[in-house]
Amino acid sequence: EKKVLGASSKDLTPSYDWFQTDSLITIVIYTKQKDMNAELVILDCEDKRLRGEIIVDDYSYLLEVDLDHAIQKDMAVNIAEKVGKVEIILKKKDNVHWKILGQPLENHNTFMKRTDRGLFYRKCKLVSKTEVTHDTKLFCLLLPESTHLHIPTGQHVYLKQIIAGTEVVKPYTPVLPFLPLDFQEPYCHDSAYIYLMIKIYSCGLFTQALDHLQIGDYISVSSPEGSFKKSQVQTSEDLFLLAAGTGFTPMVKLLNFALTEVSCLRTVKLIFFNRTEDDILWRNQLEQLALKDERFEVQFILSQPIRDWMGKQGMISSSLLSEFVKRSRKDSKVLICICGPTPFTEQGIQYLKDLGYSQEEVHPFTA
Ligand code: FAD
Ligand code: NAD
């Protein structure tokens, strides 16, 4: 069952128009949204099926047609951010006149809650797989040429594989290929690639299958999902990141964003919980980053150190949090992000509440 907005909100419904020249088809979407950006436009084209999704807050507008004629693989997306106009430029394969843009598909020209839309998957090619630690790897996936997709900071995607005849889906949070160490310009990597830092569990259903993928194999990747809003960081003076194990993954883009684009931040502190030293992800890069940027500090806390460990030990606790999470000034605006195993996140939220932090000051990353 599809829920389409009623007449009362019609004025907010995006609309589209199209026109052509001998060689090009231009589709213009009027989103009626003032601050459009590339992250809010998701475009896919496979064979002649064109799918363009525009995210408008919690809603999604969809353009979905079986094009009248074939197009070339590369297409361009131009966004007039202030006026909210999105232009999709397709190159005709043959210089013929199109009578119509195409046959509308099932959900063409609908505007509905994002949660009712369902996830869309496209097949991405595994281009590299590199070791991060003894059990964690960085997977680099290449999006199809005819896909336009940017994964926003703080959001995750779903991977889908058929395992022993059954479709299995798991969420993963894209990272960057490395941490920003050069602050000359905000670091912007080629958005055709998606980097995933994934721990391979010896008895893990999905991660074992992932580990067996060969370079050149394909895997289905969904559109992004997640409730984090960049504006939560943009107004903060102190940012605390509490990460456990692979709960570090959402912190990567967040760190990059905070340190390169948020000028009001005075302190950024990562408190990183792991079992042993060998489990610490990107330790060297984090230490380099702390040397490079005086606003940034990293604290490693081990729950099961094996060798001599001079650093902190333990699990998340009220005393550890009161020691490391402190406002830099009496009434600094803080944001505390937390991610890790469910009990870690739940305990963390409770301790922070007990320490007097409000719900607005704490953002947990969950599915
Ligand atoms: P499973 O077969 O589910 O089991 C994994 C291991 O844990 C096995 O060893 C199993 O024995 C054990 N296990 C399973 N269930 C339990 C339980 N309830 N209690 C104790 N032990 C248990 N992971 C990443 O590596 N990188 C990411 O970027 C990432 N992002 C995520 C984002 C979100 C929003 C969420 C919710 C999870 C994310 N995860 C991430 C975790 C990921 O989705 C999978 O859960 C993980 O990869 C394990 O999948 P699996 O099928 O291999 O393991
Ligand atoms: P792990 O088992 O190696 O544990 C890392 C640290 O987490 C431990 O050293 C300990 O300090 C803490 N911890 C573990 N179990 C705990 C418990 N029961 N109570 C309190 N603290 C505990 O971690 P891992 O194997 O890397 O797992 C990472 C977890 O993070 C997974 O469950 C994964 O699903 C989750 N994750 C969630 C998201 C998200 O929701 N956005 C993103 C990435 C990872």
Side-chain angles (χ1 to χ4, degrees):
E1 193 208 350
K2 265 171 246 125
K3 291 194 196 84
V4 179
L5 280 188
S8 60
S9 27
K10 233 185 188 132
D11 50 330
L12 291 173
T13 307
S15 63
Y16 79 99
D17 200 358
W18 71 283
F19 51 89
Q20 61 187 308
T21 64
D22 284 349
S23 58
L24 303 175
I25 296 283
T26 301
I27 303 170
V28 184
I29 302 171
Y30 304 96
T31 69
K32 300 178 188 168
Q33 188 169 233
K34 272 189 235 101
D35 26 44
M36 250 296 123
N37 67 64
E39 292 180 346
L40 305 174
V41 180
I42 304 171
L43 199 61
D44 288 278
C45 192
E46 206 187 341
D47 300 326
K48 278 165 60 210
R49 288 173 71 104
L50 178 77
R51 185 186 187 279
E53 185 174 359
I54 308 285
I55 310 297
V56 183
D57 298 323
D58 294 336
Y59 285 81
S60 142
Y61 174 74
L62 195 69
L63 195 132
E64 195 183 31
V65 290
D66 189 14
L67 296 170
D68 202 28
H69 294 275
I71 55 163
Q72 295 177 34
K73 277 195 175 143
D74 56 320
M75 42 194 186
V77 179
N78 296 325
I79 300 165
E81 307 205 347
K82 298 247 160 59
V83 290
K85 194 173 85 172
V86 176
E87 216 175 52
I88 302 166
I89 301 161
L90 311 173
K91 289 184 194 155
K92 293 180 179 177
K93 219 169 208 161
D94 306 300
N95 288 358
V96 292
H97 183 79
W98 291 26
K99 290 204 180 65
I100 54 168
L101 177 62
Q103 293 295 336
L105 294 169
E106 199 187 351
N107 291 305
H108 179 58
N109 208 19
T110 56
F111 189 49
M112 60 172 81
K113 278 251 183 200
R114 274 184 91 175
T115 45
D116 293 332
R117 180 71 79 195
L119 290 171
F120 180 80
Y121 290 85
R122 72 281 297 147
K123 287 212 161 73
C124 296
K125 186 156 104 179
L126 177 64
V127 293
S128 69
K129 193 162 72 167
T130 46
E131 254 180 43
V132 177
T133 64
H134 63 101
D135 61 3
T136 302
K137 291 179 183 172
L138 187 67
F139 291 80
C140 175
L141 304 174
L142 177 62
L143 285 162
E145 204 181 332
S146 49
T147 292
H148 167 104
L149 172 70
H150 295 262
I151 296 145
T153 297
Q155 296 198 12
H156 51 269
V157 295
Y158 291 85
L159 298 188
K160 187 165 78 179
Q161 298 182 93
I162 311 276
I163 302 173
T166 309
E167 216 173 64
V168 186
V169 168
K170 296 263 162 133
Y172 294 94
T173 315
V175 296
L176 298 169
F178 40 77
L179 286 172
L181 286 170
D182 183 0
F183 297 105
Q184 298 303 320
E185 279 171 48
Y187 173 68
C188 231
H189 79 98
D190 184 345
S191 66
Y193 296 97
I194 295 177
Y195 293 89
L196 297 167
M197 195 188 269
I198 299 179
K199 182 187 272 201
I200 312 297
Y201 294 94
S202 57
C203 310
L205 176 67
F206 200 84
T207 52
Q208 279 299 319
L210 256 184
D211 200 31
H212 284 91
L213 285 183
Q214 302 294 311
I215 303 301
D217 284 352
Y218 285 82
I219 183 159
S220 295
V221 180
S222 79
S223 300
E225 192 175 78
S227 61
F228 184 78
K229 298 221 160 42
K230 271 181 173 175
S231 57
Q232 295 172 265
V233 186
Q234 269 156 338
T235 52
S236 300
E237 293 162 292
D238 301 331
L239 176 66
F240 295 94
L241 309 174
L242 310 181
T246 57
F248 171 60
T249 54
M251 310 308 180
V252 173
K253 283 194 183 185
L254 192 46
L255 262 177
N256 176 58
F257 173 69
L259 295 174
T260 59
E261 289 182 58
V262 186
S263 52
C264 55
L265 275 171
R266 270 195 305 272
T267 62
V268 179
K269 202 184 257 185
L270 170 69
I271 301 138
F272 197 0
F273 295 81
N274 285 280
R275 292 169 195 244
T276 73
E277 260 182 288
D278 297 339
D279 295 313
I280 303 175
L281 304 166
W282 282 359
R283 177 178 183 178
N284 194 350
Q285 288 198 55
L286 287 165
E287 287 171 340
Q288 291 297 318
L289 186 61
L291 290 175
K292 193 102 187 186
D293 193 316
E294 59 179 24
R295 294 168 301 170
F296 178 65
E297 193 184 310
V298 59
Q299 181 71 48
F300 300 111
I301 303 180
L302 301 184
S303 59
Q304 296 162 36
I306 27 181
R307 287 186 292 275
D308 300 336
W309 171 248
M310 309 298 274
K312 277 273 164 195
Q313 269 191 48
M315 304 276 269
I316 193 163
S317 67
S318 188
S319 64
L320 273 177
L321 292 184
S322 58
E323 182 180 348
F324 292 112
V325 181
K326 282 193 203 117
R327 292 177 206 268
S328 64
R329 290 182 195 165
K330 201 170 129 269
D331 37 34
S332 310
K333 211 169 164 306
V334 297
L335 178 67
I336 308 168
C337 296
I338 179 161
C339 189
T342 307
F344 169 87
T345 305
E346 284 174 353
Q347 288 166 33
I349 292 171
Q350 187 59 47
Y351 294 137
L352 291 167
K353 192 176 166 201
D354 297 344
L355 288 169
Y357 292 97
S358 70
Q359 218 170 341
E360 294 71 48
E361 290 173 321
V362 180
H363 179 86
F365 287 99
T366 50

